């Protein structure tokens, strides 16, 4: 009862309902009104006095103290969070959100995860729950080394792997380490991931855009010692770095460059076999990053970073100084999913599911926007509609929004002006909703292949 009364009075003082100088009721009076013993009120008042929230004056009773603290102004956190994201307004009337980069969260393998977590909790030791290796749980690093070698052609020992909170943290650690070594600018794909650019810029490494064409990044245009790219499935164009460009890029790295390889959407392949990661061809010149954000869920905040061994001590120190290490139990659960094959089975199921969604959206676009040029269909979780030169893709995105469909204009993802387009993510929507979205887009956009000046 004392704690309840003290808590209520404390809240009234902190929120300003009781202001400095207000006198609290006499202890006998308040005890009678609340039907409690006077001792309860006396103890509650004493707690407020001990906390500096009230003072006791002889002859004046207990009075709210003036602490020089005023009630908090309303928080602007929601506005700040919105400013960290792409500038797509929330917008009333959006029925189908085709924003790229959002996986199918309904496909999260709850049963498999719960089964693995129970097994982990049955086996976990006190050592597992303590402050461990900041580079990650040994069991997960061992499983990742084998799985990445088998599926992505990675060449790494378990001790080469740093478990991170997604690719975002991998880029943050790399940017901190590079900046400490004097690197202030990195080449990035243009168009490319705005999130990657912003993450590295926050830590002092500015982005210098390098154009992308149908074969990937234009290697001959790289003018800096570090290049950040998505070679297996370029975001947002969906192109795969061609064999000739891969050879040229590896030669550039061998001459002293560092490749930061974001293995974006590597798990999602539908119409072709995946190409191996660049890291396997040059482990001493490539910093490789991946995560489960698109295969499980972004909220898991689990990923991995494999950097050249010369960089690993500094990266490990940066990881330690950032958070002492990633959470233990999710790491051990993922390790078990990898060891039992449940993760691989989940990926196969998700690929089948996403292929159906890709096909539904593609069929809808062919029916309702037959003049549209669509790219990036063989892999990933999004499509790209290529628009005639001079088209204002932001205007078309606004028209789509008025039809209840959210899409990204390609220009949002550019550093320099370039060909326009619309980026359509399909992973988070059911096939029937994607068919409906394509129909709405067809009515709203009415693209004319002859150019924007003759758009209907």
């Amino acid at each position: 009862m004392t704690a309840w009364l003290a808590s209520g009075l404390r809240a009234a003082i902190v929120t300003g309902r009781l202001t400095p100088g207000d006198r609290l009721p006499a202890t006998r009076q308040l005890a009678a009104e609340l039907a409690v013993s006077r001792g309860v009120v006396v103890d509650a008042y004493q707690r407020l006095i001990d906390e500096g929230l009230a003072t006791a004056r002889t002859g004046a009773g207990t009075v709210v103290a003036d602490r020089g603290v005023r009630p908090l102004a309303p928080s602007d956190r929601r506005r700040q969070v919105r400013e960290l994201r792409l500038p797509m307004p929330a917008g009333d009337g959006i029925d189908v959100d085709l924003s790229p980069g959002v996986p199918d969260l309904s496909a999260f393998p709850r049963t498999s995860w719960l089964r693995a977590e129970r097994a982990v909790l049955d086996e976990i030791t006190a050592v597992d729950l303590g402050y461990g290796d900041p580079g990650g749980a040994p069991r997960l690093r061992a499983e990742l080394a084998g799985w990445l070698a088998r599926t992505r052609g990675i060449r790494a020992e378990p001790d080469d792997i740093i478990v991170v909170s997604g690719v975002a943290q991998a880029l943050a650690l790399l940017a901190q380490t590079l900046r400490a070594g004097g690197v202030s600018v990195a080449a990035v794909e243009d168009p490319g991931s705005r999130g990657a650019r912003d993450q590295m810029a926050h830590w002092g490494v500015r982005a210098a855009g390098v154009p992308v064409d149908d074969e990937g990044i234009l290697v001959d245009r790289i003018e800096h010692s570090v290049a950040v790219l998505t070679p297996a499935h370029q975001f947002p164009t969906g192109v795969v770095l061609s064999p000739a460009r891969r050879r040229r890029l590896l030669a550039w790295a061998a001459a002293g460059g560092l490749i930061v390889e974001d293995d974006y959407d590597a798990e999602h392949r539908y119409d072709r076999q995946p190409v191996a990661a660049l890291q396997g061809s040059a482990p001493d010149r490539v910093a490789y990053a991946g995560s489960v954000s698109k295969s499980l869920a972004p909220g898991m905040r689990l990923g991995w970073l494999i950097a050249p061994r010369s960089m690993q001590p500094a990266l490990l120190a940066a990881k330690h100084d950032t958070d002492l290490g990633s959470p233990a139990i999710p790491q051990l659960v993922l390790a078990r999913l990898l060891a039992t094959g449940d993760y691989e089975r989940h990926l196969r199921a998700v690929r089948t599911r996403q292929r159906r969604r890709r096909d539904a959206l593609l069929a809808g676009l062919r029916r309702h926007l037959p003049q549209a040029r669509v790219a990036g269909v063989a892999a990933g979780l999004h499509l790209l509609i290529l628009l005639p030169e001079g088209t204002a893709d932001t205007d078309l995105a606004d028209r789509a929004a008025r039809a209840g469909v959210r899409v990204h204009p390609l220009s949002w993802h550019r550093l320099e002006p370039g060909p326009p387009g619309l980026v359509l993510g399909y992973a988070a929507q059911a096939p029937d909703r994607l068919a409906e979205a394509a129909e709405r887009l067809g009515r709203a956009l009415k693209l004319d292949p002859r150019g924007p000046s003759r758009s209907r």
Side-chain angles (χ1 to χ4, degrees):
M1 184 62 73
T2 297
W4 168 80
L5 178 57
S7 177
L9 292 170
R10 185 184 301 111
I13 294 170
V14 170
T15 59
R17 286 184 287 125
L18 288 174
T19 60
D22 287 350
R23 188 168 71 173
L24 301 181
T27 55
R28 294 184 189 277
Q29 175 190 344
L30 186 56
E33 290 177 359
L34 298 177
V36 299
S37 71
R38 179 171 175 263
V40 168
V41 181
V42 170
D43 289 346
Y45 282 9
Q46 188 59 50
R47 290 191 186 187
L48 299 179
I49 294 168
D50 293 343
E51 295 171 13
L53 299 176
T55 59
R57 299 177 185 173
T58 302
T62 304
V63 178
V64 176
D66 186 353
R67 299 171 295 128
V69 178
R70 297 294 175 258
L72 289 174
S75 171
D76 61 353
R77 180 178 181 277
R78 292 186 182 277
R79 177 186 61 79
Q80 293 169 345
V81 169
R82 285 196 299 270
E83 289 176 354
L84 294 175
R85 298 177 180 173
L86 285 168
M88 176 64 109
D92 295 332
I94 295 293
D95 299 318
V96 187
D97 189 350
L98 300 186
S99 298
V102 181
D104 180 9
L105 301 179
S106 66
F108 183 83
R110 297 169 186 260
T111 301
S112 298
W113 186 274
L114 182 59
R115 181 171 59 245
E117 188 167 271
R118 284 173 174 161
V120 164
L121 291 174
D122 283 341
E123 301 168 356
I124 203 167
T125 68
V127 173
D128 292 323
L129 293 174
Y131 290 109
D133 186 332
R139 270 180 277 177
L140 176 56
R141 290 188 284 110
E143 292 296 339
L144 282 172
W147 180 71
L148 290 170
R150 188 171 64 255
T151 62
R152 303 298 298 127
I154 294 297
R155 292 164 56 194
E157 299 297 324
D159 283 347
D160 293 321
I161 299 174
I162 300 175
V163 178
V164 292
S165 299
V167 172
Q169 188 180 49
L171 294 173
L173 299 179
L174 285 165
Q176 292 172 61
T177 301
L178 291 168
R179 191 70 187 88
V183 175
S184 60
V185 184
V188 300
E189 298 164 317
D190 189 15
S193 169
R194 174 175 170 174
R197 297 197 303 264
D198 290 349
Q199 184 64 254
M200 298 193 72
H202 179 79
W203 297 104
V205 178
R206 181 173 57 83
V210 178
V212 172
D213 63 13
D214 290 344
E215 295 187 62
I217 193 169
L218 298 177
V219 179
D220 294 342
R221 302 276 290 274
I222 298 175
E223 299 177 352
H224 301 279
S225 62
V226 178
V228 184
L229 63 157
T230 50
H233 182 245
Q234 202 275 332
F235 180 86
T237 67
V239 303
V240 176
L241 192 65
S242 71
R245 294 277 172 88
R246 285 172 69 94
R247 290 191 294 271
R248 202 171 301 162
L249 184 65
L250 289 169
W252 168 86
L258 174 70
I259 301 168
V260 177
E261 180 178 17
D262 176 359
D263 207 12
Y264 177 77
D265 274 358
E267 305 91 347
H268 303 288
R269 292 288 181 275
Y270 314 120
D271 302 329
R272 64 165 185 260
Q273 290 298 313
V275 295
L278 286 167
Q279 192 272 354
S281 299
D284 58 337
R285 303 308 310 166
V286 176
Y288 173 89
S291 78
V292 301
S293 292
K294 302 300 186 291
S295 57
L296 289 177
M300 298 307 300
R301 307 316 305 142
L302 269 176
W304 42 88
L305 170 62
I306 304 171
R309 289 180 175 173
S310 60
M311 299 181 68
Q312 289 176 17
L315 290 167
L316 197 59
K319 171 64 176 173
H320 173 271
D321 292 344
T322 298
D323 55 19
L324 302 182
S326 298
I329 292 178
Q331 291 187 67
L332 296 175
V333 174
L334 179 58
R336 188 171 185 88
L337 291 176
L338 288 166
T340 60
D342 281 347
Y343 185 66
E344 203 67 65
R345 284 186 283 274
H346 167 70
L347 289 179
R348 288 196 295 269
V350 167
R351 277 194 288 268
T352 300
R353 187 180 178 113
Q354 296 306 343
R355 180 195 288 270
R356 288 197 296 267
R357 297 182 178 203
R358 187 276 313 260
D359 291 348
L361 179 57
L362 190 57
L365 292 175
R366 286 171 175 165
R367 178 178 179 186
H368 299 289
L369 279 171
Q371 67 274 54
R373 295 169 53 218
V374 183
V377 301
L381 301 177
H382 69 271
L383 303 176
L384 175 64
I385 295 179
L386 301 170
L387 301 173
E389 289 287 347
T391 302
D393 55 14
T394 52
D395 290 345
L396 292 184
D398 288 342
R399 284 161 58 182
R402 289 194 292 272
V405 181
R406 176 178 296 171
V407 299
H408 279 197
L410 181 58
S411 58
W412 277 6
H413 303 278
R414 289 191 180 281
L415 284 168
E416 299 294 335
L422 296 175
V423 188
L424 283 62
Y426 52 78
Q429 301 293 336
D432 60 331
R433 296 289 282 163
L434 293 167
E436 178 186 348
E439 182 178 359
R440 292 192 194 186
L441 289 172
R443 291 198 305 266
L445 303 187
K446 294 182 170 57
L447 301 177
D448 189 327
R450 295 171 295 173
S453 62
R454 292 181 292 276
S455 294
R456 293 185 296 276

